[in-house]
Amino acid sequence: MKRYSTRIASNPYLVGSFACIGGGLFGLDISSMSGVLNNEAYKRTFGYPGSNAQGAIVAAMPAGSFVRALLVTKLADVIGRRPTIMTSAWIWVIGSILQCAAQDRGMLVVGRIFSGMSIGLASSCVPLYQSEITNHNIRGRIVSLQQWAITWGILIQYFIQFGCSYINGAASFRIPWGLQMIPAIILGLGMMFFPESPRWLIDHGREEEALEVLADLHSGGDPNNELVQLEYEEIKAQVHFEKTEGAKSYLDLLKPGIFRRVTLGCSLQMWSQLSGMNIMMYYIVYVFQGAGLTGRRGNLIASAVQYVLNVMFTIPAIIYIDKWGRRPLLLIGTMMMGFWLYLVGGLQGGFGEWGIVDGDRVWVISDRGSVTKGVIVCSYLFVCSFAVTMGPVSWTYPAEIFPMRVRAKAVSLSTATNWMFNFALAWAVPPGLSNIAWKTYFIFGTFNFAAFVHVFFCFPETAGRTLEEIEDVFSQGHTFAAWKIKRDIGKKTLQEVKRRSEAASFDDGSKEEKKAEETA
């Protein structure tokens, strides 16, 4: 008896997208904080936290995510991808309960650490699961749904916060924090009906089960389908090669050919954080406040528009990411994001001054309506640029570039890099805006231009290939001339895969015979 629903497995978009609820949890957390920054009941309950204290509260979540993202490798490799995602859901429920019931900063921080542990598991394992269970022709589209789920989480939670802001007292923030456990419960229960990764099954000697999963995923249950056989043979050959090559360990990440990919995966997650999107998501209230947009209602509405744009402009990337490719999106995105941040910094620096807003000393643009609108528009355009480029690609690329034997470890290390920089920036941005104000935008703009240079020289295209074919992409070399690797590199037919598999089996047989002769 199968341990999953064949009807679910036969729908590639459902089987690939449901786990994205794990990404939605990250989005819920982002706006669960950004929506309360100017909530008087929140400030009163938690002792009117200053910029450093507020940064620490926000940073507690990515701190937990960083630790848990590193530990996910053991779980994902030992118990499987699906149970790991289910575990993340129940940890999130615990974190939500603690936050909802928090009576002081300490309890709130502990709750956010639990939520961070959940997101650390989900953000590492969900793209891994998606990349291993979907057809290579739509892999980028499916994995990029992780980013879309994040944007939906941000949007939904922000509107809940917006509605609850009209409630007097602590219920205005406790209700949204309590409601965010509902998606996690749905994820934890729903994943029971989804199949395990066929690559993980083959890696653990469950080949018949893996073939069944592949047949249900790609051909309505027909194990003799050419696509099913092609992927099955490729996975078997790759797993066999990796098992004979050496033991699985973190030392594998330092081997030639692997270390290059580890640096690419980690650096891309680093650049996604250094792009400045943290400012626009966690602390958009502070950004618009400094632009001269006053009043809680006006600020909340302007922020809500930004979150809607974030959702809308992720859609083109989901549809076309496999057609456009990863490199073009990263190059265009980093250049545009740097440009918009430089404009925001220039407008802030040229027309702003130090002033007092709501009792706090801030750099603010006063009585210049056109400049205020200019900053808001540039902020919107920055978010749109991120949503259609760096956002989805930063999750897709690290999930597809690693070989099976190190994939879970390497993806978790890449994701841990994301959370390490998320933690640092979540804590550093409020003091940064309080002390160097508009110069903060120039710093992040410069990071984007540096990312453009790095991508241009070092990041090869990976779209349109199976995970096993990507091995040929990196075997081409061109470590610092990535543009030389063409998009047709690595493409194979079923006959070529079978011949390679038979040759590998013959070589292994010859080695065994030779050893037997030497022993005799």
Side-chain angles (χ1 to χ4, degrees), residues 229-242:
Q229 285 294 318
L230 172 61
E231 190 159 5
Y232 180 65
E233 292 294 338
E234 279 191 322
I235 296 171
K236 280 206 310 179
Q238 189 67 27
V239 169
H240 175 75
F241 171 76
E242 290 164 356

Side-chain angles (χ1 to χ4, degrees), residues 5-292:
S5 167
T6 54
R7 293 185 63 183
I8 288 176
S10 65
N11 188 323
Y13 289 96
L14 177 59
V15 77
S17 63
F18 183 81
C20 288
I21 295 176
L25 301 181
F26 178 24
L28 291 173
D29 180 85
I30 289 175
S31 50
S32 74
M33 277 287 101
S34 63
V36 300
L37 292 179
N38 56 4
N39 184 318
E40 185 62 29
Y42 166 80
K43 293 179 180 179
R44 184 170 58 251
T45 301
F46 297 105
Y48 294 90
S51 61
N52 189 58
Q54 184 58 52
I57 292 171
V58 173
M61 186 279 291
S65 298
F66 170 72
V67 174
R68 206 63 185 178
L70 288 176
L71 297 178
V72 73
T73 57
K74 195 68 176 176
L75 278 176
D77 279 340
V78 174
I79 69 173
R81 309 335 188 190
R82 185 182 66 163
T84 302
I85 295 172
M86 294 169 65
T87 301
S88 73
W90 301 121
I91 295 175
W92 175 270
V93 171
I94 296 172
S96 297
I97 292 172
L98 290 172
Q99 289 183 73
C100 183
Q103 299 299 312
D104 52 39
R105 293 183 194 175
M107 191 172 177
L108 176 59
V109 167
V110 171
R112 288 186 56 73
I113 289 175
F114 268 89
S115 295
M117 292 166 61
S118 165
I119 297 172
L121 282 176
S123 60
S124 295
C125 201
V126 169
L128 182 67
Y129 176 77
Q130 291 174 308
S131 67
E132 292 184 347
I133 206 165
T134 53
N135 189 319
H136 66 276
N137 290 323
I138 60 170
R139 185 179 62 245
R141 184 178 302 171
I142 294 297
V143 178
S144 64
L145 287 172
Q146 165 90 339
Q147 177 63 24
W148 201 39
I150 292 173
T151 66
W152 272 108
I154 295 171
L155 181 65
I156 292 170
Q157 179 73 332
Y158 195 82
F159 276 122
I160 293 173
Q161 293 272 10
F162 182 52
C164 290
S165 68
Y166 291 96
I167 300 174
N168 292 323
S172 61
F173 61 85
R174 295 196 190 280
I175 291 175
W177 288 355
L179 290 176
Q180 66 184 359
M181 73 178 70
I182 295 175
I185 294 172
I186 294 172
L187 177 64
L189 295 176
M191 283 301 294
M192 296 171 61
F193 303 99
F194 284 73
E196 180 55 88
S197 159
R199 286 172 173 82
W200 184 86
L201 292 171
I202 291 177
D203 194 39
H204 287 72
R206 295 157 63 176
E207 295 185 0
E208 290 185 7
E209 191 176 342
L211 183 58
E212 282 187 353
V213 172
L214 286 170
D216 288 332
L217 288 172
H218 302 318
S219 65
D222 179 13
N224 297 315
N225 178 274
E226 184 172 352
L227 173 60
V228 172
Q229 285 294 318
L230 172 61
E231 190 159 5
Y232 180 65
E233 292 294 338
E234 279 191 322
I235 296 171
K236 280 206 310 179
Q238 189 67 27
V239 169
H240 175 75
F241 171 76
E242 290 164 356
K243 282 188 173 181
T244 56
E245 189 179 77
K248 298 178 182 179
S249 73
Y250 276 100
L251 292 178
D252 285 344
L253 301 182
L254 302 178
K255 289 184 176 179
I258 303 299
F259 183 68
R260 172 190 175 188
R261 285 180 260 186
V262 171
T263 59
L264 292 179
C266 291
S267 60
L268 183 57
Q269 290 283 17
M270 174 192 73
W271 290 129
S272 74
Q273 291 301 311
L274 294 178
S275 67
M277 192 62 172
N278 261 328
I279 302 177
M280 301 303 177
M281 291 294 106
Y282 281 128
Y283 301 117
I284 189 61
V285 170
Y286 294 161
V287 174
F288 286 167
Q289 184 185 68

Side-chain angles (χ1 to χ4, degrees), residues 412-427:
S412 73
L413 187 61
S414 299
T415 308
T417 304
N418 177 299
W419 294 118
M420 179 175 66
F421 280 89
N422 191 310
F423 166 75
L425 295 175
W427 199 330

Side-chain angles (χ1 to χ4, degrees), residues 50-56 283 286 354 361 424-437 440:
S51 61
N52 189 58
Q54 184 58 52
Y283 301 117
Y286 294 161
W354 289 110
R361 179 175 177 268
L425 295 175
W427 199 330
V429 166
L433 292 173
S434 297
N435 291 288
I436 61 174
T440 306

